[in-house]
Amino acid sequence: MKKNYITAVVFLAICFGLLITAIIFNIKENEMISTYFAMGASGAAFLSCLFGMNSWQEK
């Protein structure tokens, strides 16, 4: 399969994992750690979008 597509899917899975972890820490009222996990989820989602856009250019 395409290398960029697989990388985008991996970053998407990491993003969802970090997002769920941030929600759990937010429920436990630990806002500082929740903020860091949410920032990590945003970064992983951004990288997933970049690799996903590059996967369209591959043949």
Side-chain angles (χ1 to χ4, degrees):
M1 291 184 76
K2 298 177 182 178
K3 182 180 176 184
N4 283 331
Y5 175 75
I6 294 172
T7 308
V9 171
V10 169
F11 274 122
L12 186 64
I14 292 170
C15 173
F16 279 124
L18 289 173
L19 185 63
I20 290 169
T21 307
I23 290 170
I24 290 170
F25 276 115
N26 197 14
I27 291 171
K28 289 185 175 184
E29 296 180 359
N30 197 345
E31 288 87 13
M32 186 62 71
I33 296 175
S34 174
T35 303
Y36 290 138
F37 277 106
M39 287 190 302
S42 298
F46 177 73
L47 290 174
S48 177
C49 288
L50 285 180
F51 282 104
M53 292 291 191
N54 286 334
S55 71
W56 288 347
Q57 296 174 355
E58 288 181 343
K59 288 189 177 184

